[in-house]
Amino acid sequence: MDVELRHLRAFLAVARHLSFSRAASELRVTQPSLSRSVQRLEAALGTRLVRRTSRRVALTPAGRYAQDRLGRLLPALDSTLNAIRDSGTIRLGFAWLLPDPWTQRAVVRFENATRGTVEPVRHDDPAAAVDLGEVDVAVIRGAPPGGNAISVPFLGERRVAAVSTSSPLAGRDRLGWDGFRDWPLVVNTVSGTTTPADWAADQAPGDVVACGNFDEWLELVAAGRGVGVVPDSAARRSPHAWIRFLPIDDAPPIPVHIVHSPSSRHPLLRAFVEAAMAERPCRASGTR
């Protein structure tokens, strides 16, 4: 039988109210649409469930039986479907080193509020992973991706400098943002967050030492090929015997965005975004 849940819900609303107008108001549909849903249910079952005149609406014997049974079965079905929906997995895309402690707090909040879980998925281009449906939501540092993706800024990470312990800079307590122009800058071109474009033209480093991932970036800095700039979380979570991390005065923060597709139908996406925004350390507004 070609019976849909909306047909069953339409009939139960009419049976409860014995009024098409009040049932339509409850379901927020038009009366003609409600009437068609009930008629299609009756056609699929091959029997009349509702008798409607100009003065009253009444249930047939089959309608009373259907109300009794469906009135118990449909809530149980809804409960089961909600439980399945709330036990899903959110695939969280990232390029490297998810921000801390935001990530841990947001995941705990989300998983405590739902039956869902979060699965971290590393991807060199998490924005592309969102577009391809390979992840449900992504954390992206730097400028938000273009296109139709929904991008919500929620965090600004502090920058720190990374210098080789053999570098003359290693003896300093801190660096100024305007003090990089005379040093080659090691740049991770795939998932890095700082390039010469982040400086004013007269302050930008003149030379770039390019690499393709964070491990290469660490080793190039350690070998003294240049200096690097990373989020402060890297200093806490990626110590290296031959690298010293230094605070930077006046460095602009690294913008961090939550990105997801506007066409996503994941039932837990909204709950995850709400948990993520609840744990943000500063106020931010959504952009598109």
Side-chain angles (χ1 to χ4, degrees):
M1 292 182 294
D2 188 17
V3 174
E4 300 178 16
L5 287 176
R6 62 190 177 93
H7 300 153
L8 302 179
R9 292 193 175 101
F11 164 71
L12 284 177
V14 171
R16 260 193 317 274
H17 294 286
L18 293 179
S19 165
F20 277 78
S21 62
R22 289 196 295 270
S25 178
E26 175 191 319
L27 297 178
R28 297 182 180 180
V29 299
T30 64
Q31 287 191 52
S33 174
L34 180 71
S35 296
R36 286 194 296 272
S37 291
V38 173
Q39 290 166 0
R40 287 171 182 168
L41 176 61
E42 291 176 326
L45 296 175
T47 186
R48 290 287 297 275
L49 302 175
V50 178
R51 296 194 186 279
R52 181 182 187 182
T53 68
S54 59
R55 294 186 176 182
R56 64 190 294 262
V57 174
L59 299 181
T60 66
R64 290 192 295 271
Y65 177 80
Q67 181 189 27
D68 177 63
R69 298 299 297 271
L70 292 175
R72 287 177 284 163
L73 293 174
L74 200 57
L77 177 60
D78 284 339
S79 177
T80 299
L81 293 176
N82 288 335
I84 294 171
R85 179 198 64 192
D86 292 344
S87 63
T89 297
I90 286 286
R91 298 166 299 169
L92 175 60
F94 69 104
W96 65 279
L97 291 186
L98 281 162
D100 67 359
W102 168 84
T103 302
Q104 295 74 28
R105 292 173 177 170
V107 169
V108 168
R109 176 183 286 267
F110 166 77
E111 293 185 349
N112 285 343
T114 70
R115 297 182 181 88
T117 57
V118 176
E119 175 187 349
V121 179
R122 202 205 70 79
H123 199 288
D124 284 340
D125 189 345
V130 169
D131 288 340
L132 295 172
E134 295 174 357
V135 299
D136 303 301
V137 63
V139 170
I140 294 178
R141 291 179 172 92
N148 295 322
I150 295 176
S151 179
V152 184
F154 74 102
L155 178 65
E157 290 184 298
R158 290 183 297 176
R159 285 181 163 100
V160 297
V163 302
S164 170
T165 55
S166 64
S167 168
L169 296 175
R172 299 190 185 184
D173 293 329
R174 58 200 317 110
L175 296 179
W177 187 240
D178 60 354
F180 287 80
R181 65 170 69 90
D182 298 326
W183 301 91
L185 183 69
V186 182
V187 175
N188 174 358
T189 59
V190 175
S191 58
T193 57
T194 302
T195 72
D198 292 302
W199 278 268
D202 61 340
Q203 297 179 347
D207 297 322
V208 169
V209 179
C211 61
N213 59 63
F214 184 60
D215 290 333
E216 292 175 358
W217 181 92
L218 282 172
E219 297 308 324
L220 286 169
V221 172
R225 301 290 181 84
V227 299
V229 179
V230 286
D232 60 352
S233 57
R236 297 191 299 271
R237 297 163 61 186
S238 300
H240 193 293
W242 292 91
I243 292 178
R244 186 171 180 212
F245 292 96
L246 303 174
I248 307 174
D249 293 328
D250 303 324
I254 299 170
V256 187
H257 299 77
I258 299 173
V259 176
H260 62 89
S261 170
S263 62
S264 174
R265 296 294 181 265
H266 196 297
L268 292 181
L269 178 60
R270 179 184 293 274
F272 178 81
V273 173
E274 289 175 352
M277 296 304 290
E279 292 296 340
R280 60 184 173 171
C282 60
R283 296 183 64 184
S285 60
T287 61
R288 211 178 171 107

